[in-house]
Amino acid sequence: MFVQQLEPVADSLALSALVAALPLATVLILLGGVRMKAHLAGAIGLAVAVLVGWLAFAMPLGQTLSAGAQGVLFGLFPIMWIVVNALWVYRMTVRTHHFDILRRSFGRLSDDPRIQALVIAFCFGALLEALAGFGAPVAICSVMLVALGFDPVKAAVVSLVANTAPVAFGAMGTPVVTLAQVTGLPLDTVASVVGRQTPLLALVVPLVLIGLVDGRRGLRETWIPALVCGIAFAVAQFAAANFVSAQLADIAAALAGAAALVAVPAARRPATESVRAAVLTGARSEDLDQEDPRPEVVRAYAPYALIVVVFSLAQIPPVKEFLAKATQVFDWPFLDVVGADGRRVGANTFTLPLVGTGGTLVLLAGVITAVVLGVRAKDAAREWTGTVYELRYAILTVTSVLALAYVMNLSGQAATIGHFVAAAGAGLAFLSPILGWFGVAVSGSDTSANALFGALQVTAAGQSGLSPELLAAANSSGGVLGKMISPQNLTIACAAVGLAGKEGDVLRKVLPWSLGLLLVMCLIVVGQSTSVLGWMLP
């Protein structure tokens, strides 16, 4: 049995926290300062975490390695299992050219580029974030906007800023699932609190996008469609996160936002030539005027409809109970950890949801998609292996970061840092979203930031008398605003629209929005930690 220690270094909490921070500092310096590739920085940070856990915190080497192995497995299944299968579905639509049909269909919903930006970057981007995440929405939406005639820089900026409100529930709820796993808090509770924070961003982001596309004139002429879209998105995300399922929160929000936007008469008015001339300064794709047969348009939408249907069916109580029977719960080998408070930690046991997990449901939807789109089994298998190869570095990054998080959590490093940070007292409510923002800005992933800082937030909350659920959720909600400035997402956006090497130009345009919205989130969390907005919490 290993008992965690809070002050193993010279019986000093400050020195122990300084040593415990070495793995995180290593990753952040290698990523932000040295600009090392994320998968290498994660692996080196993991090595440092193992050494600190073994040598400084006296965790037996076997248990330290076992803790890291548990993090690797969790990173592979269910985290990357979801991402691989979601991107596999997308690759099949590209292979059969149904993605081009989908792009043309979006272009015909409205000829107003400001409305097109909302439909593609905000609504469809949210759906892509719900299904895949990890940079896919930014890359795909940027390309679609450029094909419609948007300037490449504007397309990249709009796609990056739009990729905020849905991030916490992206990749079938992966960030909040990870947050619940590393903190030991109930998933429903964490998702519920996040679902009372990020919807507030959804009210603002569509208006910001309109302003980015067409300035004050855009806001003056199209603020009603933007506000209606944001309200519908926010209400649906709140309702799904609190009363249905975290995995369906972004899907429901994206569909509700798009439906509300299309239903507003002002969104269907033709744009004036002056607006189109001012906004559409890039080259327009030549195939946009091509007419597609209605059955092919239906097939283009089918993959996303199938995923919604499969996940909805999985939430029916009898079906949910049936799927849960395949869940395996077992004692994790070579691990026996007791916290500093004398209680056994939850990670001593591991839960493996084989069938009911999001990745398996997406895989099922993908198999049906292959049949609907007419993809042969051999080609579908080739696309799946190609997806794994394409994501090989992302897989290495996620597994190494989660292994690092598990080692830090189980060895007591995160608890030590949390007790030290708790000295901020009530100010911790303001700093909590900033910590998540910083983690995502560096790692490019809300999932990774939650794995790194989730347990620390909970520990600090317990020491300062604040709600652990509030600070854990704030880590994820603040983190979504760091995604638009993360080097990984900037690189993805610029590469997608042919602006390689121009990441700095795009960063300067999105940084003020990232900081401004972060301040709003910090004030929301501070309000929720007091009687001012405390009524919002479950």
Side-chain angles (χ1 to χ4, degrees), residues 84-98:
V84 166
N85 290 319
L87 285 180
W88 171 56
V89 173
Y90 162 70
R91 282 174 63 109
M92 286 193 291
T93 67
V94 172
R95 182 186 184 91
T96 59
H97 302 291
H98 285 91

Side-chain angles (χ1 to χ4, degrees), residues 426-438:
L428 190 59
F430 186 87
L431 296 175
S432 186
I434 297 176
L435 191 60
W437 173 85
F438 183 68

Side-chain angles (χ1 to χ4, degrees), residues 100 137 172 200 208 220 245 257 267 299 310 353 374 376 517-518:
D100 294 329
M172 296 300 175
L200 299 175
V208 172
R220 186 172 61 251
S245 164
R299 292 172 75 193
V310 168
R376 294 182 302 174
L517 292 172
L518 174 64

Side-chain angles (χ1 to χ4, degrees), residues 164-302:
T164 48
V167 168
F169 296 102
M172 296 300 175
T174 296
V176 291
V177 169
T178 302
L179 185 62
Q181 180 76 12
V182 300
T183 59
L185 298 173
L187 173 60
D188 290 345
T189 304
V190 172
S192 178
V193 179
V194 175
R196 297 165 192 240
Q197 295 172 342
T198 56
L200 299 175
L201 293 177
L203 299 174
V204 179
V205 171
L207 295 170
V208 172
L209 296 179
I210 292 296
L212 287 171
V213 171
D214 194 32
R216 292 182 179 177
R217 177 180 59 182
L219 287 170
R220 186 172 61 251
E221 296 179 358
T222 55
W223 68 271
I224 293 178
L227 189 60
V228 169
C229 177
I231 292 173
F233 186 103
V235 170
Q237 191 183 60
F238 162 78
N242 280 272
F243 308 114
V244 183
S245 164
Q247 287 86 349
L248 293 175
D250 278 349
I251 294 176
L255 296 177
L261 183 60
V262 173
V264 177
R268 299 194 299 274
R269 292 187 195 131
T272 62
E273 284 303 317
S274 62
V275 169
R276 293 182 59 81
V279 176
L280 301 180
T281 55
R284 190 170 179 264
S285 178
E286 295 179 358
D287 70 346
L288 286 176
D289 296 325
Q290 177 180 331
E291 287 294 329
D292 298 301
R294 185 174 295 274
E296 292 303 309
V297 175
V298 173
R299 292 172 75 193
Y301 282 91

Side-chain angles (χ1 to χ4, degrees), residues 1-392:
M1 180 184 293
F2 167 67
V3 180
Q4 295 177 351
Q5 303 175 60
L6 294 178
E7 301 177 356
V9 180
D11 293 326
S12 167
L13 182 61
L15 287 177
S16 299
L18 185 63
V19 173
L22 287 177
L24 294 177
T26 299
V27 173
L28 299 180
I29 291 171
L30 291 178
L31 280 174
V34 181
R35 297 189 176 181
M36 182 180 288
K37 292 189 180 299
H39 66 282
L40 295 176
I44 294 172
L46 171 60
V48 174
V50 169
L51 290 174
V52 170
W54 176 34
L55 300 176
F57 282 74
M59 187 178 195
L61 182 59
Q63 293 209 50
T64 306
L65 296 176
S66 180
Q70 185 176 156
V72 169
L73 178 57
F74 185 71
L76 291 173
F77 192 97
I79 303 304
M80 293 309 298
W81 180 237
I82 297 172
V83 179
V84 166
N85 290 319
L87 285 180
W88 171 56
V89 173
Y90 162 70
R91 282 174 63 109
M92 286 193 291
T93 67
V94 172
R95 182 186 184 91
T96 59
H97 302 291
H98 285 91
F99 181 74
D100 294 329
I101 296 173
L102 187 70
R103 174 170 54 83
R104 289 192 289 269
S105 176
F106 283 156
R108 285 190 287 268
L109 286 175
S110 172
D111 73 341
D112 190 328
R114 301 165 298 191
I115 302 301
Q116 290 174 345
L118 291 179
V119 171
I120 293 172
F122 187 68
C123 298
F124 186 58
L127 184 61
L128 291 173
E129 182 67 35
L131 303 179
F134 291 89
V138 170
I140 295 169
C141 293
S142 296
V143 170
M144 293 178 76
L145 290 175
V146 169
L148 291 172
F150 278 70
D151 172 73
V153 172
K154 185 171 288 186
V157 170
V158 167
S159 298
L160 285 165
V161 174
N163 192 219
T164 48
V167 168
F169 296 102
M172 296 300 175
T174 296
V176 291
V177 169
T178 302
L179 185 62
Q181 180 76 12
V182 300
T183 59
L185 298 173
L187 173 60
D188 290 345
T189 304
V190 172
S192 178
V193 179
V194 175
R196 297 165 192 240
Q197 295 172 342
T198 56
L200 299 175
L201 293 177
L203 299 174
V204 179
V205 171
L207 295 170
V208 172
L209 296 179
I210 292 296
L212 287 171
V213 171
D214 194 32
R216 292 182 179 177
R217 177 180 59 182
L219 287 170
R220 186 172 61 251
E221 296 179 358
T222 55
W223 68 271
I224 293 178
L227 189 60
V228 169
C229 177
I231 292 173
F233 186 103
V235 170
Q237 191 183 60
F238 162 78
N242 280 272
F243 308 114
V244 183
S245 164
Q247 287 86 349
L248 293 175
D250 278 349
I251 294 176
L255 296 177
L261 183 60
V262 173
V264 177
R268 299 194 299 274
R269 292 187 195 131
T272 62
E273 284 303 317
S274 62
V275 169
R276 293 182 59 81
V279 176
L280 301 180
T281 55
R284 190 170 179 264
S285 178
E286 295 179 358
D287 70 346
L288 286 176
D289 296 325
Q290 177 180 331
E291 287 294 329
D292 298 301
R294 185 174 295 274
E296 292 303 309
V297 175
V298 173
R299 292 172 75 193
Y301 282 91
Y304 307 102
L306 284 168
I307 292 176
V308 173
V309 169
V310 168
F311 269 82
S312 298
L313 291 174
Q315 298 306 312
I316 298 174
V319 178
K320 194 171 185 177
E321 291 175 11
F322 175 76
L323 295 175
K325 291 179 181 178
T327 299
Q328 302 293 319
V329 181
F330 55 90
D331 291 331
W332 188 258
F334 310 112
L335 198 64
D336 188 8
V337 180
V338 173
D341 57 1
R343 292 182 293 181
R344 297 184 82 247
V345 300
N348 288 313
T349 59
F350 190 79
T351 302
L352 192 64
L354 298 172
V355 180
T357 189
T360 303
L361 297 177
V362 175
L363 177 65
L364 173 60
V367 171
I368 303 173
T369 293
V371 175
V372 172
L373 298 185
V375 181
R376 294 182 302 174
K378 183 189 296 184
D379 293 333
R382 187 177 293 116
E383 289 297 333
W384 194 89
T385 56
T387 304
V388 174
Y389 182 78
E390 179 185 337
L391 290 172
R392 63 193 184 281

